[in-house]
């Protein structure tokens, strides 16, 4: 059957794809015409945090999923962020720490020279296993806790959300690297701490309470131990574990110190309240290993005892190991006090529990 001319024209006609389309959305924009260029460390958040995109509001009015700086629209369901105030969660270094975290990620599978592991005397391997069991347990809390706070923080304060997301990834890697170390050399995991003291972190009801207890106190104490990695490591694989973990941990501690500083500067009336959180959390810092010779702040006596054995192995003497464990405890407490001083809470030294005050160096000025 022949196709008539009209049908042919209809078949070949170009449809007008714009006909009937509403393109008014193209006019609904945040500020346009911005430009950003890579700085010394690439195109970081600092480079794009300009104009209205760079202003984290003191109190966010927005309860939707809208990104900061985007054009708002009517009728959008609320997500229900619970922390509208910037001061509740802010830390001036959050964006920088996030960028650093992304740039310094590492893999426990391929960045640790596992082939350097060597058989150890049975008591030393058991001490390593106990040490790693406790750290694995602690790292779970350090990942679980920030994850509870993420959905409460507004997208207007996205830098803090992204930092906390990076911390959760860091902690996943820490718990996996210590688990791998425990299992890779024949020791396996040992007894869990049973330490209810750690619950004080995950049960915190206020962000500043959580951050001060977890970032400044808890992670600070762990960081001091990681920095002594050369005395704990028996080979290059373990040295690298401590070096890389300490690098991550320093970001978490830095966030907490800067958050505390921010809140003390912007809401000085909260100072006593923060003392009350520390009063609740500091008794968790225990001195005294199971044998009474290895006092180390870690929240579990077996942790201190296992650390004393590892120090002793490195130094070639049990007595020297116990002495270094005592020195480690002093170092932990003094570094904890130093961080509080940097944040602006130097007066805390006069309110510490007696067993902690006992190992504190005199104030520098
Ligand atoms: Fe960690
Ligand atoms: Fe951490």
């Amino acid at each position: 059957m022949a196709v008539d001319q009209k049908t042919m024209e209809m078949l070949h006609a170009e449809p007008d794809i714009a006909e009937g389309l509403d393109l008014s959305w193209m006019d609904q924009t945040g500020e346009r015409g911005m430009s950003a260029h890579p700085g010394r460390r690439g195109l970081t958040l600092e480079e794009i945090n300009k104009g209205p995109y760079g202003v984290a509001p003191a109190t966010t009015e927005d309860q939707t999923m809208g990104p900061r700086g985007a054009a708002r629209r009517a009728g959008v369901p609320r997500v229900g962020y619970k922390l509208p105030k910037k001061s509740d969660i802010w830390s001036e270094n959050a964006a920088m720490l996030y960028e650093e975290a992304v740039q310094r990620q590492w893999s426990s599978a391929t960045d640790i020279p596992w082939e350097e592991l060597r058989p150890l005397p049975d008591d030393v391997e058991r001490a390593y296993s106990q040490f790693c069991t406790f750290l694995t347990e602690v790292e779970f809390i350090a990942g679980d806790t920030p994850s509870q706070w993420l959905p409460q923080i507004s997208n207007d304060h996205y830098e803090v959300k992204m930092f906390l997301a990076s911390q959760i990834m860091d902690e996943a890697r820490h718990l996996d690297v210590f688990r791998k170390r425990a299992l890779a050399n024949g020791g396996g995991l040992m007894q869990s701490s049973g330490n209810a003291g750690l619950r004080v972190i995950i049960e915190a009801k206020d962000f500043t309470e959580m951050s001060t207890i977890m970032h400044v106190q808890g992670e600070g104490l762990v960081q001091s131990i990681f920095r002594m990695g050369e005395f704990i490591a028996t080979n290059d694989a373990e040295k690298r574990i401590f070096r890389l973990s300490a690098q991550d941990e320093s970001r978490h501690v830095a966030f907490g110190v800067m958050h505390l500083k921010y809140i003390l500067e912007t809401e000085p009336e909260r100072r006593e309240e923060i003392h009350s959180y520390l009063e609740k959390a500091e008794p968790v810092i225990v001195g005294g290993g199971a044998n009474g010779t290895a006092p180390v702040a870690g929240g579990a006596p077996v942790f201190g005892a296992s650390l004393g054995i590892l120090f002793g192995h490195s130094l070639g003497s049990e007595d020297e190991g116990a002495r270094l464990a005592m020195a480690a405890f002093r170092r932990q407490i003094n570094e904890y006090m130093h961080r509080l001083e940097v944040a602006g809470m130097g007066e805390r030294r006069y309110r510490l529990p007696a067993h902690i005050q006992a190992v504190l160096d005199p104030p520098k000025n």
Side-chain angles (χ1 to χ4, degrees):
M1 189 175 75
V3 179
D4 63 41
Q5 184 63 27
K6 195 173 168 212
T7 306
M8 285 298 287
E9 279 170 12
M10 281 171 66
L11 281 171
H12 287 107
E14 288 285 335
D16 180 0
I17 59 167
E19 193 183 320
L21 278 184
D22 177 6
L23 296 178
S24 62
W25 60 268
M26 284 200 168
D27 299 323
Q28 302 299 311
T29 77
E31 187 168 314
R32 299 193 69 222
M34 314 289 295
S35 65
H37 306 284
R40 201 165 45 84
R41 285 174 298 168
L43 192 68
T44 65
L45 295 177
E46 208 178 328
E47 268 80 34
I48 62 154
N49 264 349
K50 293 179 174 174
Y53 296 98
V55 181
T59 302
T60 180
E61 302 296 324
D62 194 64
Q63 284 284 320
T64 76
M65 286 185 285
R68 186 167 85 207
R72 296 298 193 245
R73 58 197 298 166
V76 178
R78 291 179 166 203
V79 176
Y81 301 115
K82 301 286 191 304
L83 298 169
K85 276 173 64 188
K86 178 182 176 183
S87 61
D88 279 343
I89 46 84
W90 197 249
S91 190
E92 293 289 4
N93 54 359
M96 184 269 285
L97 292 172
Y98 164 76
E99 292 285 3
E100 186 187 304
V102 171
Q103 294 190 9
R104 301 183 94 174
Q105 291 295 296
W106 49 278
S107 161
S108 67
T110 56
D111 290 325
I112 305 296
W114 293 109
E115 66 282 2
E116 297 293 327
L117 289 183
R118 295 283 180 275
L120 290 168
D122 189 54
D123 62 330
V124 179
E125 187 60 41
R126 282 173 198 267
Y128 236 109
S129 294
Q130 185 58 69
F131 181 73
C132 289
T133 303
F134 179 71
L135 285 177
T136 301
E137 202 169 330
V138 168
E139 303 292 354
F140 270 115
I141 293 272
D144 289 352
T145 302
S147 71
Q148 292 182 314
W149 292 89
L150 267 180
Q152 302 196 43
I153 298 170
S154 160
N155 289 358
D156 273 345
H157 301 138
Y158 78 94
E159 292 92 335
V160 175
K161 287 171 93 86
M162 290 167 83
F163 165 76
L164 293 177
S166 76
Q167 180 182 352
I168 293 165
M169 184 60 227
D170 289 346
E171 308 300 8
R173 191 172 47 243
H174 294 178
L175 78 86
D176 105 45
V177 81
F178 289 112
R179 187 177 180 86
K180 283 176 181 170
R181 168 57 192 87
L183 270 64
N185 213 28
L189 292 174
M190 292 186 60
Q191 201 173 31
S192 65
S193 74
N195 183 6
L198 286 173
R199 290 186 65 166
V200 76
I201 294 173
I202 205 158
E203 287 176 348
K205 296 279 187 266
D206 173 84
F207 186 90
T208 302
E209 175 188 11
M210 177 280 291
S211 178
T212 307
I213 295 173
M214 183 177 77
H215 293 126
V216 182
Q217 180 182 311
E219 297 187 278
L221 296 174
V222 169
Q223 168 71 333
S224 299
I225 290 294
F226 285 173
R227 286 231 183 96
M228 298 187 77
E230 62 184 301
F231 296 108
I232 308 165
T234 64
N235 53 58
D236 284 346
E238 290 156 4
K239 271 192 188 129
R240 198 151 168 78
I241 290 173
F242 290 117
R243 197 169 67 73
L244 290 171
S245 299
Q247 183 181 286
D248 295 341
E249 217 57 59
S250 65
R251 290 192 295 273
H252 312 159
V253 176
F255 173 89
V257 171
M258 290 300 281
H259 170 64
L260 184 55
K261 186 173 162 61
Y262 187 82
I263 204 95
L264 289 169
E265 285 173 0
T266 55
E267 296 185 356
E269 67 278 10
R270 293 195 61 190
R271 184 174 289 270
E272 270 308 309
E273 171 206 331
I274 295 164
H275 276 298
S276 78
Y277 300 141
L278 292 174
E279 257 144 47
K280 196 171 65 170
E282 280 162 352
V284 171
I285 305 173
V286 291
N291 58 7
T293 57
V296 167
V302 289
F303 179 73
S306 61
L307 193 50
I309 292 172
L310 295 177
F311 284 153
H313 177 70
S314 282
L315 298 173
S317 149
E318 227 175 87
D319 286 349
E320 286 297 305
R323 258 195 287 279
L324 186 56
M326 185 62 204
F329 181 55
R330 296 185 80 94
R331 177 177 172 156
Q332 285 182 299
I333 297 306
N334 281 288
E335 288 183 348
Y336 169 54
M337 193 59 241
H338 174 69
R339 290 176 188 118
L340 288 174
E341 278 163 0
V342 171
M345 279 195 99
E347 79 278 13
R348 186 71 205 152
R349 73 166 43 246
Y350 306 106
R351 299 172 66 165
L352 291 171
H355 74 287
I356 296 177
Q357 279 205 33
V359 296
L360 211 51
D361 292 339
K364 294 237 162 54
N365 43 33

